[in-house]
PDB file of all heavy atoms in Angstrom:
ATOM      1  N   LYS A 112      25.271 178.982 127.068  1.00 79.00           N
ATOM      2  CA  LYS A 112      25.417 178.457 128.426  1.00 79.00           C
ATOM      3  C   LYS A 112      24.784 177.085 128.641  1.00 79.00           C
ATOM      4  O   LYS A 112      25.444 176.147 129.053  1.00 79.00           O
ATOM      5  CB  LYS A 112      24.810 179.449 129.423  1.00 79.00           C
ATOM      6  CG  LYS A 112      25.581 180.741 129.513  1.00 79.00           C
ATOM      7  CD  LYS A 112      24.928 181.669 130.511  1.00 79.00           C
ATOM      8  CE  LYS A 112      25.638 183.016 130.544  1.00 79.00           C
ATOM      9  NZ  LYS A 112      24.905 183.992 131.353  1.00 79.00           N
ATOM     10  N   LEU A 113      23.520 177.019 128.344  1.00 80.00           N
ATOM     11  CA  LEU A 113      22.777 175.826 128.727  1.00 80.00           C
ATOM     12  C   LEU A 113      23.302 174.572 128.041  1.00 80.00           C
ATOM     13  O   LEU A 113      23.427 173.518 128.647  1.00 80.00           O
ATOM     14  CB  LEU A 113      21.296 176.041 128.412  1.00 80.00           C
ATOM     15  CG  LEU A 113      20.288 175.238 129.231  1.00 80.00           C
ATOM     16  CD1 LEU A 113      20.624 175.268 130.707  1.00 80.00           C
ATOM     17  CD2 LEU A 113      18.903 175.793 128.998  1.00 80.00           C
ATOM     18  N   LYS A 114      23.617 174.723 126.779  1.00 73.00           N
ATOM     19  CA  LYS A 114      24.118 173.577 126.029  1.00 73.00           C
ATOM     20  C   LYS A 114      25.421 173.087 126.637  1.00 73.00           C
ATOM     21  O   LYS A 114      25.676 171.887 126.732  1.00 73.00           O
ATOM     22  CB  LYS A 114      24.314 173.982 124.574  1.00 73.00           C
ATOM     23  CG  LYS A 114      24.454 172.817 123.642  1.00 73.00           C
ATOM     24  CD  LYS A 114      24.230 173.261 122.211  1.00 73.00           C
ATOM     25  CE  LYS A 114      25.283 174.240 121.756  1.00 73.00           C
ATOM     26  NZ  LYS A 114      24.986 174.752 120.400  1.00 73.00           N
ATOM     27  N   LYS A 115      26.225 174.050 127.068  1.00 71.00           N
ATOM     28  CA  LYS A 115      27.497 173.669 127.672  1.00 71.00           C
ATOM     29  C   LYS A 115      27.274 173.013 129.035  1.00 71.00           C
ATOM     30  O   LYS A 115      28.002 172.112 129.420  1.00 71.00           O
ATOM     31  CB  LYS A 115      28.397 174.887 127.795  1.00 71.00           C
ATOM     32  CG  LYS A 115      28.924 175.342 126.459  1.00 71.00           C
ATOM     33  CD  LYS A 115      29.663 176.653 126.580  1.00 71.00           C
ATOM     34  CE  LYS A 115      29.958 177.206 125.198  1.00 71.00           C
ATOM     35  NZ  LYS A 115      30.485 178.579 125.281  1.00 71.00           N
ATOM     36  N   LYS A 116      26.275 173.525 129.723  1.00 71.00           N
ATOM     37  CA  LYS A 116      25.927 172.874 130.978  1.00 71.00           C
ATOM     38  C   LYS A 116      25.585 171.421 130.730  1.00 71.00           C
ATOM     39  O   LYS A 116      26.042 170.524 131.418  1.00 71.00           O
ATOM     40  CB  LYS A 116      24.707 173.562 131.615  1.00 71.00           C
ATOM     41  CG  LYS A 116      25.003 174.739 132.506  1.00 71.00           C
ATOM     42  CD  LYS A 116      23.719 175.101 133.226  1.00 71.00           C
ATOM     43  CE  LYS A 116      23.864 176.364 134.055  1.00 71.00           C
ATOM     44  NZ  LYS A 116      22.573 176.708 134.715  1.00 71.00           N
ATOM     45  N   LEU A 117      24.774 171.216 129.735  1.00 68.00           N
ATOM     46  CA  LEU A 117      24.358 169.858 129.418  1.00 68.00           C
ATOM     47  C   LEU A 117      25.529 168.983 129.011  1.00 68.00           C
ATOM     48  O   LEU A 117      25.564 167.802 129.273  1.00 68.00           O
ATOM     49  CB  LEU A 117      23.315 169.866 128.303  1.00 68.00           C
ATOM     50  CG  LEU A 117      21.905 170.222 128.727  1.00 68.00           C
ATOM     51  CD1 LEU A 117      21.030 170.380 127.499  1.00 68.00           C
ATOM     52  CD2 LEU A 117      21.332 169.185 129.654  1.00 68.00           C
ATOM     53  N   LEU A 118      26.455 169.625 128.358  1.00 62.00           N
ATOM     54  CA  LEU A 118      27.620 168.872 127.903  1.00 62.00           C
ATOM     55  C   LEU A 118      28.672 168.772 128.996  1.00 62.00           C
ATOM     56  O   LEU A 118      29.737 168.235 128.778  1.00 62.00           O
ATOM     57  CB  LEU A 118      28.222 169.531 126.658  1.00 62.00           C
ATOM     58  CG  LEU A 118      27.336 169.479 125.406  1.00 62.00           C
ATOM     59  CD1 LEU A 118      27.975 170.250 124.276  1.00 62.00           C
ATOM     60  CD2 LEU A 118      27.046 168.063 124.985  1.00 62.00           C
ATOM     61  N   GLY A 119      28.351 169.345 130.138  1.00 58.00           N
ATOM     62  CA  GLY A 119      29.271 169.231 131.254  1.00 58.00           C
ATOM     63  C   GLY A 119      30.420 170.190 131.220  1.00 58.00           C
ATOM     64  O   GLY A 119      31.440 169.988 131.861  1.00 58.00           O
ATOM     65  N   ILE A 120      30.253 171.254 130.453  1.00 50.00           N
ATOM     66  CA  ILE A 120      31.292 172.270 130.383  1.00 50.00           C
ATOM     67  C   ILE A 120      30.756 173.511 131.052  1.00 50.00           C
ATOM     68  O   ILE A 120      29.901 174.189 130.517  1.00 50.00           O
ATOM     69  CB  ILE A 120      31.678 172.591 128.941  1.00 50.00           C
ATOM     70  CG1 ILE A 120      32.095 171.324 128.240  1.00 50.00           C
ATOM     71  CG2 ILE A 120      32.759 173.634 128.878  1.00 50.00           C
ATOM     72  CD1 ILE A 120      32.101 171.435 126.729  1.00 50.00           C
ATOM     73  N   ALA A 121      31.242 173.781 132.238  1.00 46.00           N
ATOM     74  CA  ALA A 121      30.728 174.925 132.969  1.00 46.00           C
ATOM     75  C   ALA A 121      31.022 176.201 132.217  1.00 46.00           C
ATOM     76  O   ALA A 121      32.144 176.438 131.796  1.00 46.00           O
ATOM     77  CB  ALA A 121      31.351 174.984 134.354  1.00 46.00           C
ATOM     78  N   PRO A 122      30.021 177.049 132.009  1.00 42.00           N
ATOM     79  CA  PRO A 122      30.222 178.264 131.244  1.00 42.00           C
ATOM     80  C   PRO A 122      31.195 179.231 131.903  1.00 42.00           C
ATOM     81  O   PRO A 122      31.833 180.020 131.237  1.00 42.00           O
ATOM     82  CB  PRO A 122      28.824 178.879 131.176  1.00 42.00           C
ATOM     83  CG  PRO A 122      28.046 178.242 132.268  1.00 42.00           C
ATOM     84  CD  PRO A 122      28.660 176.893 132.486  1.00 42.00           C
ATOM     85  N   SER A 123      31.271 179.144 133.212  1.00 41.00           N
ATOM     86  CA  SER A 123      32.161 180.073 133.900  1.00 41.00           C
ATOM     87  C   SER A 123      33.599 179.607 133.860  1.00 41.00           C
ATOM     88  O   SER A 123      34.516 180.335 134.178  1.00 41.00           O
ATOM     89  CB  SER A 123      31.717 180.220 135.350  1.00 41.00           C
ATOM     90  OG  SER A 123      31.742 178.952 135.965  1.00 41.00           O
TER      91      SER A 123
END
Side-chain angles (χ1 to χ4, degrees):
Chain A
K112 292 180 184 172
L113 205 46
K114 196 163 64 185
K115 288 172 190 171
K116 273 190 186 178
L117 281 172
L118 293 175
I120 304 163
S123 59

